[in-house]
Structures are given as C-alpha cells and as structure tokens.
Amino acid sequence: MPSGIGIPGLILILILALLLFGPNKLPELGRAFGRTLREFKAGARDVMRDDEDNKGTERKEVQAESTVVSSSSNVSNGQATSLSNEPPSQSSPSRRLPE
C-alpha cells in the first residue's frame, strides 16, 4: 500500500473515480488496467530473460577468449605445433607483448 496516501485517501480516490466514470464504466477501466499491468509484467520478464541470455553468451565468449589467450601463451612458450610451413621463430620464450 502506498505510504503517503493512507486509507482515507484511497477511499476519496475511489469515490471520485466512481463519480467521474460512473458505475458502468468503472469495471471496464479496471479490466483495462489489469491487462496493462499483465502486459507490462510480461515485457519486463522478457527483458530480464534476454539480459540473462546475454550474460550467458558473454560468459561463453570470455571462456573462449581465455582459451585462445592460453593457447597463444603456449605458442609463445614453444609448446604448440606450428600449422604453417615456416620454421619457428628464434625469439626467447620470455618475450612479452607490448601493453
């Protein structure tokens, strides 16, 4: 329940709504408001699900990148085999990449 309105304020709002819209139109407005809330909740749920899916994809990408980085560090240490026909370079295994 809203903290600033209170019970007397809610009763006043309901009486004003009844006077403005009449007893026939009030149930229709309530149904429309309920449908709007339901659609909003469904949309928010979809956004949250998409956000969770994107986080899962980002985790997979980070894991794939860390695998590539660890593979490239193995190459720089001379532990991986070369796929090209060129002879391996004669650089020292402790060579660091520029930051």
Side-chain angles (χ1 to χ4, degrees), residues 59-69:
R59 286 183 191 137
K60 289 177 185 177
E61 290 173 359
V62 168
Q63 288 174 349
E65 288 175 4
S66 66
T67 304
V68 170
V69 169

Side-chain angles (χ1 to χ4, degrees), residues 73-90:
S73 67
N74 289 341
V75 169
S76 67
N77 290 335
Q79 296 175 354
T81 58
S82 175
L83 297 177
S84 66
N85 292 334
E86 299 175 13
S89 63
Q90 298 298 325

Side-chain angles (χ1 to χ4, degrees), residues 5-34:
I5 296 175
I7 299 293
L10 285 176
I11 292 172
L12 181 64
I13 290 172
L14 289 174
I15 291 173
L16 286 175
L18 186 62
L19 289 174
L20 287 175
F21 298 111
N24 295 332
K25 194 76 167 172
L26 211 53
E28 292 175 25
L29 291 173
R31 276 191 291 274
F33 183 70

